Amino acid sequence: MSVETGAAGGQGDAVWDAWKPDELPAGGQGRSSAGYAPGAQVLIRDELWLVRKVTNTRHDGWMVDVTGVSSFVRGTDAVFYDRLDDIQVLDPRETQLVADDSPNHRRARLFLEAVMRKTYLPQTEHGLALCDGFLMDQQVHQLRPAELALSMKNPQPRILIADVVGLGKTLEIGVLLAELIRRGRGERILVVTPQHVLEQFQRELWTRFAIPLVRLDSTGIQRVQQEIPAGRNPFSYFKRAIISVDTLKSDVYAHHLEHTDWDAVVIDESHNLVNRGTKNNALARLLAQKTDALVLASATPHNGDAASFAELIKMLDEAAIADPSKYEVKDLEHLYIRRTKTTPEVREGLKGAWADRGPSQPLHVPAGEKELAVFKELAAHWIPADPAAPSASTYPLVPYQLLKSFLSSHRALLETIKTRLKNLDKPPAEKSAPNAKRKTRPVDPAVREAARKAERAALVELQALAEQIQDEDSAKLAALLKELRAMGVGPGSDTRVVVFSERIPTLKWLAETVPAALGFPRSASTDESKPWLGFGGAVQVMHGDATTDEEQTDIVEKFGLRDDPVRILFTGDVASEGVNLHQQCHLLIHYDLPWSLIRIEQRNGRIDRYGQEHQPQFRALILTSDVPWRTDEATGQPRTLDDRLVGEKLLKREEEAHKIEGSAEAVTGLYRAQEEENRLTQDLIAGRTVEDSIKQSQQSGAAFLTGLLGQVGAVSEHPEVPRAVVPKLFRSTADYFDEALRQICHPNPEDQLSLLRYEDGTIAFEPPRDLLYRLKSLPKSYLDEQRILPRKNEKGRMRITFSKTLASARLKAARDSSKSQWPNVSYVTDVHPVLDWLTDKVLVQVGRHQAPVLAAAVDRPVFLVQGIYSNAVGRPTVVEWMAVTGLPDAPDTKPLTAQLLEDYGVGPNMPGRATPRDLPGLTELVPAAIDEAERFLKSREEDYKLQIDKTLAPYRKRVTHWKQEALFAGTRRDKQDVDLAASRRLSLVKSLETAGEPMLRLLAVLEPHAATAGDTAR
């Protein structure tokens, strides 16, 4: 069929869009989509429809996404193809003028406003249109990514947002998505995140931007299976979805993704995508091919390998990097933005919005007698003072694994020993030498067996010493309890703290012992494997091995609710990426320290983030010993084998990096925590110090990439972000909403919708069925919780507000509750489903191919006309709002602005008139008005062309330069790939130029209100 109805309409099997410019259908390049421009009224199957979106397809011509206007199809969304259906564009010269008898010409004013709201911003409009209307404390730095993405420095809105931890990347993504929606380029959105931040991300986009996303986690998938036909592509049914990367890369979705195109795809924590040959990378490359806009977000976007990072950038623009082994920041300036807290614009904007970070305080904890015995054993037999001396293990990493485990806890050490003993009991599974990739002489089996037995004996000895340590012998445990008490953590206190450890045995042990020691009352636990649950919810444990994705989401949400009983969160580094823990907490303790600056920074960033009201405070337990080990060659001072060897040094260096470089990666030139830790451990094995390791890392071959993780795009061309200028008739969105409700609800919204207005600014009403349909993307738990959905013997209630003050207070109150972080009132932005529903209702108030006549403060008739030029992919390139006057003798056209409308007296106080004075005379002038508007447009056609060319020319030049560089750096075998890539990018640019004739539409006519000599049309 050529028409599909429903939430998403149909996408067709082969939708062609701007990212596939070389696949134009036959004749597509010469044919304009202007007649089908968004906002145009078209006649299809003898019904009137309003065009919402236009897309070119390979086989079926223009795919026209419409919504019904005439009574039989009103409220129906559908898709038609112009090669399968007769799509008749209505001639504006035949527009019927109609009277408007509504109070103060309310119907006509609402209609004009609705058309302006529904008309997509053209690609020549680079300013932001909506950024003042979101539930966020507007920071200029958070608007910059949208500014760059919409600047057309890259012909597609594609960007890597690489701001450091905590600056608000989710907010930056929300701003960009809303702006894309306003441009008709965000109808179909897919957001891909790690599982544990799904709800957090979904909640932020809804509460702050009013962008609803269907959550396709295990619960969401079950809901989908209940609501859509078996085998139906869920991505065609739900236009906007959020899903975890692990769920999406499963085979269940592979077929559906191959047949789905998107307007915008967001991939959070995108550094997990760079490794070629992995499912993550294959998924990302597929999505990059299936979308127009692509937003990648990561605070650590590359792994230090130039070619891997080039792979990520290629997803954004295949003609960005000529030589994947060597490139500079300037090659990426059109795609990439990275700021730190030290960026002047960021620092200035964050005053008062983010408390200054407190110090990272090391707490020295002298080891007890039994712990010193373990240190002595490690120094004597496992990590000797002389790096060349033999160790108890022939595998150099094993001794350091034992040391790191012990620096965490004796429980962790025992678990590591247990695992190592199991491995030793399976010698065939192990390599015969420490470096298996190196060519070595065969090892005599007898020698290997002797080494195995020796290591096993040493492990048993070390195990015996560790088993002597009881809980009361743990110096760090005693220090932790002392510090927690000093912080005020305990029964009857609201103080919360996050305690990090790398080791799961340590986390479990602490969760089992600390609560009782602090006096939290114990109750019976229903889960023997998680005894800490028996402390009334005061303690939560989160780690990757035993905590499910759903449990992680639940724990993070509980920790963000003020009234939830949780007081201590023991967590591993699963919480170090993307998780917000700052809402009710500003205290963090490193029970043990990772051997990675990046990991320490990521941990600290959980509470040191945008919106933190209190000074973040950090503590680290530093286990010390007096066991002599090596002598520091630089100072001549003795060094000991304890936490001062690595952990304390990295803690201090991370603090310095935060103040000076702005990020930890800039210190080492390494960009993956595991790589950083491996490098450091290898250097320690070789006898180097932490300082030596960092210095050498900075000077390594990967160091040239350090600039990419410094300050990219930190200095903008403009001190202020450009704003879009769009005519409007109403002072505020709230005024538009109020008058629109009065117009469409009969006899009044109070009766029809049971609408109530409260003094605090809340508006509550019963959402009608067609509005509920638009809200189905929201979590069912949220819809049920807020009682939006009707229940048995109970009607649903929607609660909204236009007050930022109230919405912010309700958002904070939700976090202070013990049940949910979803606020009980929804803030209405310009992309809110309620406003979209209302605007569609307003548009159909004016009938088929009609334009209202208003009595206004004008001397002669004024014809308000809209003109749109479109490009080869159906998107508007130019939108002109025009006022045509002086007909028929001295026609004149001027741009229609908000000020001009005010001068004409078009507003809520206009007197109105039920019957036009000379309807036949005005009707007679309609063709001349359209001709004059068309003449005006075409007289400026060259200006429009120059404006568009000026925008696109730099990129054309960039692609030409890239081609030359790539051919020089490549081989003969690469030449064909380079030629094809350059051709695709240049074809993309060509497709964005204006194509064909303009679309014109008569919106309304203003006639003189007073009886004057010009009272008649002639």
Side-chain angles (χ1 to χ4, degrees):
M1 292 181 65
S2 60
V3 58
E4 299 180 26
T5 60
Q11 283 296 300
D13 290 334
V15 172
W16 175 87
D17 216 326
W19 58 96
K20 298 174 183 174
D22 54 331
E23 297 176 356
L24 275 165
Q29 188 69 17
R31 181 174 180 180
S32 167
S33 69
Y36 306 145
Q41 291 188 1
V42 292
L43 196 64
I44 310 173
R45 301 186 183 181
D46 203 35
E47 297 292 343
L48 190 63
W49 306 81
L50 187 75
V51 177
R52 302 184 68 170
K53 182 181 177 182
V54 185
T55 309
N56 214 336
T57 66
R58 294 191 189 99
H59 306 297
D60 298 323
W62 291 103
M63 183 180 78
V64 185
D65 198 333
V66 296
T67 188
V69 174
S70 53
S71 59
F72 184 71
V73 295
R74 187 169 299 168
T76 301
D77 294 339
V79 170
F80 297 95
Y81 298 84
D82 71 349
R83 290 188 182 172
L84 303 178
D85 269 285
D86 179 22
I87 301 179
Q88 180 183 349
V89 181
L90 301 180
D91 186 347
R93 293 167 180 82
E94 298 174 0
T95 303
Q96 178 187 1
L97 302 186
V98 294
D100 177 15
D101 59 358
S102 63
N104 310 107
H105 289 316
R106 183 174 63 195
R107 181 189 299 113
R109 290 185 292 109
L110 287 167
F111 173 73
L112 287 171
E113 178 79 9
V115 171
M116 292 168 182
R117 287 175 173 270
K118 281 291 187 177
T119 299
Y120 298 144
L121 298 183
Q123 68 184 32
T124 47
E125 177 57 81
H126 306 314
L128 306 190
L130 307 176
C131 55
D132 295 323
F134 303 131
L135 191 59
M136 56 186 283
D137 297 325
Q138 190 181 112
Q139 303 290 337
V140 174
H141 80 269
Q142 292 174 341
L143 307 181
R144 296 295 184 194
E147 177 190 17
L148 176 60
L150 299 173
S151 68
M152 291 194 70
K153 290 182 178 178
N154 181 41
Q156 293 171 289
R158 295 188 165 207
I159 187 172
L160 168 58
I161 304 176
D163 287 343
V164 299
V165 172
L167 291 194
K169 286 188 286 296
T170 305
L171 298 180
E172 294 168 356
I173 291 168
V175 172
L176 176 53
L177 289 179
E179 290 290 338
L180 288 172
I181 291 170
R182 183 64 180 85
R183 287 159 169 78
R185 306 180 74 169
E187 189 69 13
R188 297 183 48 75
I189 297 173
L190 178 68
V191 177
V192 185
T193 74
Q195 173 69 37
H196 56 274
V197 297
L198 270 181
E199 180 162 322
Q200 173 182 299
F201 205 109
Q202 181 191 34
R203 186 170 55 244
E204 286 286 283
L205 286 189
W206 171 246
T207 58
R208 298 190 182 279
F209 304 96
I211 300 175
L213 300 173
V214 175
R215 188 168 76 230
L216 295 179
D217 55 8
S218 57
T219 304
I221 291 170
Q222 291 175 2
R223 176 186 169 194
V224 167
Q225 291 172 339
Q226 295 171 358
E227 292 191 9
I228 67 175
R232 177 78 181 271
N233 183 348
F235 300 123
S236 67
Y237 192 76
F238 295 109
K239 295 189 294 184
R240 296 172 184 168
I242 183 168
I243 190 169
S244 76
V245 63
D246 290 331
T247 301
L248 189 61
K249 70 185 180 184
S250 67
D251 294 337
V252 175
Y253 290 106
H255 173 72
H256 294 314
L257 287 176
E258 289 282 353
H259 296 85
T260 307
D261 290 281
W262 305 93
D263 292 319
V265 168
V266 176
I267 305 179
D268 195 21
E269 305 298 345
S270 56
H271 54 267
N272 297 314
L273 310 174
V274 298
N275 295 327
R276 290 297 296 262
T278 64
K279 276 194 170 184
N280 282 5
N281 180 259
L283 171 65
R285 286 189 288 115
L286 173 62
L287 291 176
Q289 296 167 7
K290 306 293 284 183
T291 185
D292 177 27
L294 178 62
V295 184
L296 305 178
S298 173
T300 54
H302 66 77
N303 58 6
D305 178 72
S308 293
F309 188 54
E311 170 70 17
L312 195 67
I313 294 298
K314 186 178 179 180
M315 297 178 194
L316 300 170
D317 179 4
E318 60 182 331
I321 296 176
D323 183 354
S325 65
K326 188 175 182 180
Y327 43 89
E328 300 177 20
V329 171
K330 66 179 180 62
D331 299 325
L332 314 178
E333 60 186 7
H334 62 303
L335 300 167
Y336 185 33
I337 192 166
R338 177 179 174 84
R339 285 78 51 83
T340 74
K341 204 175 177 180
T342 63
T343 303
E345 186 173 78
V346 175
R347 189 174 61 245
E348 183 65 25
L350 292 178
K351 289 180 179 178
W354 185 352
D356 289 337
R357 170 174 162 163
S360 293
Q361 184 178 341
L363 303 176
H364 285 198
V365 182
E369 182 178 347
K370 293 179 181 179
E371 292 171 322
L372 286 174
V374 174
F375 274 126
K376 291 176 181 177
E377 179 69 12
L378 288 171
H381 298 105
W382 294 90
I383 312 176
D386 182 359
S391 168
S393 176
T394 57
Y395 294 85
L397 290 177
V398 169
Y400 283 92
Q401 290 171 348
L402 296 170
L403 172 62
K404 286 194 68 183
S405 294
F406 182 57
L407 291 175
S408 178
S409 70
H410 61 288
R411 295 287 188 100
L413 175 60
L414 288 170
E415 189 66 28
T416 301
I417 292 172
K418 179 181 177 181
T419 300
R420 181 60 185 163
L421 286 171
K422 285 183 179 179
N423 289 336
L424 283 174
D425 289 338
K426 297 184 292 184
E430 296 196 332
K431 304 295 182 182
S432 60
N435 297 296
K437 292 183 179 180
R438 294 180 180 177
K439 293 182 179 180
T440 57
R441 295 178 181 178
V443 178
D444 188 317
V447 173
R448 180 193 298 143
E449 179 62 17
R452 187 183 69 82
K453 288 184 177 179
E455 181 176 346
R456 199 179 198 290
L459 283 169
V460 170
E461 180 66 25
L462 185 63
Q463 184 180 44
L465 292 173
E467 288 174 342
Q468 295 297 314
I469 302 173
Q470 303 301 310
D471 291 354
E472 58 270 20
D473 300 316
S474 172
K476 285 177 69 173
L477 175 60
L480 174 65
L481 293 170
K482 179 181 178 181
E483 187 61 25
L484 289 173
R485 293 187 182 106
M487 288 177 167
V489 179
S493 170
D494 292 334
T495 304
R496 294 189 186 186
V497 64
V498 183
V499 179
F500 270 98
S501 172
E502 285 197 301
R503 306 287 169 158
I504 292 175
T506 301
L507 289 171
K508 291 182 176 180
W509 169 59
L510 292 176
E512 293 167 6
T513 56
V514 169
L518 290 177
F520 285 102
R522 186 192 298 270
S523 60
S525 173
T526 58
D527 189 343
E528 295 182 1
S529 66
K530 300 176 181 179
W532 53 85
L533 297 180
F535 289 95
V539 176
Q540 294 288 347
V541 177
M542 186 166 73
H543 57 80
D545 285 3
T547 313
T548 66
D549 293 337
E550 290 79 8
E551 287 173 331
Q552 290 175 20
T553 299
D554 185 58
I555 290 170
V556 171
E557 181 166 2
K558 285 177 179 292
F559 198 72
L561 297 170
R562 191 190 67 178
D563 292 343
D564 193 272
V566 64
R567 291 296 174 264
I568 310 175
L569 173 61
F570 293 103
T571 183
D573 290 324
V574 67
S576 66
E577 284 191 358
V579 176
N580 292 336
L581 300 177
H582 68 293
Q583 292 163 354
Q584 306 294 339
C585 176
H586 65 282
L587 303 173
L588 185 151
I589 297 176
H590 300 278
Y591 191 79
D592 53 47
L593 281 162
W595 286 9
S596 161
L597 287 170
I598 296 171
R599 193 67 77 195
I600 295 173
E601 179 183 64
Q602 288 175 333
R603 285 183 177 185
N604 290 346
R606 298 311 99 212
I607 65 167
D608 183 22
R609 1 188 4 96
Y610 178 74
Q612 175 60 269
E613 297 178 356
H614 306 281
Q615 183 186 64
Q617 297 183 31
F618 310 98
R619 307 285 187 271
L621 302 180
I622 305 297
L623 189 63
T624 66
S625 77
D626 56 4
V627 178
W629 183 54
R630 294 177 182 170
T631 300
D632 192 313
E633 296 180 2
T635 64
Q637 298 297 315
R639 296 161 62 196
T640 53
L641 197 67
D642 57 25
D643 259 324
R644 291 170 292 185
L645 175 68
V646 177
E648 185 173 16
K649 289 182 172 64
L650 293 183
L651 183 74
K652 181 179 180 180
R653 191 66 185 90
E654 188 274 340
E655 185 176 28
E656 292 172 353
H658 172 80
K659 294 177 181 178
I660 301 171
E661 290 94 347
S663 68
E665 298 92 337
V667 176
T668 62
L670 298 175
Y671 308 93
R672 287 289 177 273
Q674 191 59 54
E675 181 186 358
E676 184 188 0
E677 182 176 333
N678 293 343
R679 173 70 175 267
L680 178 57
T681 304
Q682 293 291 349
D683 285 340
L684 291 174
I685 291 171
R688 302 186 186 97
T689 65
V690 171
E691 294 84 355
D692 292 337
S693 180
I694 291 176
K695 184 177 180 180
Q696 182 170 333
S697 180
Q698 288 174 325
Q699 297 172 347
S700 69
F704 85 91
L705 290 174
T706 302
L708 296 174
L709 273 256
Q711 306 270 335
V712 181
V715 180
S716 178
E717 300 174 15
H718 318 282
E720 296 295 331
V721 176
R723 305 302 174 93
V725 179
V726 182
K728 60 180 181 179
L729 281 76
F730 291 81
R731 290 178 302 174
S732 68
T733 300
D735 287 347
Y736 169 67
F737 174 85
D738 290 341
E739 290 215 44
L741 274 186
R742 294 288 172 198
Q743 182 62 34
I744 69 170
C745 295
H746 301 287
N748 57 63
E750 286 76 14
D751 290 337
Q752 184 174 340
L753 301 178
S754 299
L755 185 140
L756 295 173
R757 296 177 184 273
Y758 297 90
E759 291 184 2
D760 64 1
T762 300
I763 302 171
F765 62 95
E766 295 175 7
R769 184 180 299 177
D770 53 348
L771 175 56
L772 286 174
Y773 184 79
R774 296 175 187 241
L775 296 173
K776 71 174 186 175
S777 293
L778 292 165
K780 190 172 186 300
S781 58
Y782 167 79
L783 295 171
D784 289 338
E785 170 193 306
Q786 304 297 327
R787 297 181 178 273
I788 296 171
L789 297 174
R791 302 182 180 188
K792 187 177 181 180
N793 301 324
E794 181 182 344
K795 295 183 178 180
R797 298 289 284 174
M798 182 85 185
R799 293 170 178 82
I800 62 173
T801 185
F802 292 89
S803 166
K804 280 190 180 182
T805 302
L806 173 64
S808 297
R810 293 298 177 86
L811 183 57
K812 185 178 186 303
R815 291 171 178 165
D816 290 348
S817 74
S818 59
K819 296 181 180 179
S820 171
Q821 288 195 37
W822 294 91
N824 63 0
V825 64
S826 175
Y827 180 67
V828 180
T829 72
D830 281 317
V831 296
H832 197 289
V834 167
L835 210 62
D836 196 50
W837 163 79
L838 193 62
T839 300
D840 283 345
K841 292 284 188 183
V842 166
L843 284 171
V844 299
Q845 288 279 306
V846 174
R848 174 171 172 167
H849 204 25
Q850 294 178 345
V853 178
L854 298 81
V858 296
D859 296 330
R860 302 190 70 176
V862 179
F863 294 78
L864 307 184
V865 183
Q866 179 194 58
I868 298 177
Y869 276 105
S870 296
N871 57 29
V873 290
R875 298 198 187 104
T877 57
V878 175
V879 175
E880 281 283 2
W881 306 92
M882 297 167 283
V884 180
T885 61
L887 295 173
D889 305 321
D892 181 45
T893 301
K894 60 183 69 175
L896 181 64
T897 64
Q899 182 60 54
L900 188 61
L901 286 168
E902 185 177 333
D903 293 343
Y904 289 153
V906 179
N909 298 321
M910 61 192 316
R913 184 163 57 218
T915 305
R917 291 187 182 277
D918 184 10
L919 193 59
L922 292 173
T923 301
E924 211 174 307
L925 290 176
V926 168
I930 297 299
D931 289 342
E932 168 59 19
E934 186 172 40
R935 184 202 61 77
F936 175 81
L937 279 176
K938 291 192 172 181
S939 71
R940 297 197 57 199
E941 189 171 3
E942 191 61 29
D943 293 337
Y944 299 145
K945 183 179 183 301
L946 290 174
Q947 183 182 0
I948 294 170
D949 189 65
K950 182 180 179 182
T951 301
L952 298 175
Y955 189 76
R956 285 196 202 94
K957 183 177 179 181
R958 181 188 293 276
V959 172
T960 302
H961 177 73
W962 170 83
K963 181 178 178 180
Q964 295 170 348
E965 291 285 309
L967 290 174
F968 179 78
T971 64
R972 288 184 179 179
R973 188 173 56 185
D974 298 329
K975 185 178 185 302
Q976 186 176 5
D977 291 340
V978 171
D979 286 340
L980 286 173
S983 176
R984 281 193 295 267
R985 300 310 289 179
L986 292 174
S987 294
L988 169 60
V989 173
K990 180 68 176 175
S991 72
L992 300 180
E993 298 173 354
T994 296
E997 298 296 308
M999 184 278 290
L1000 292 119
R1001 182 180 183 187
L1002 179 62
L1003 303 177
V1005 180
L1006 309 181
E1007 69 167 356
H1009 183 269
T1012 67
D1015 190 25
T1016 63
R1018 295 236 177 237

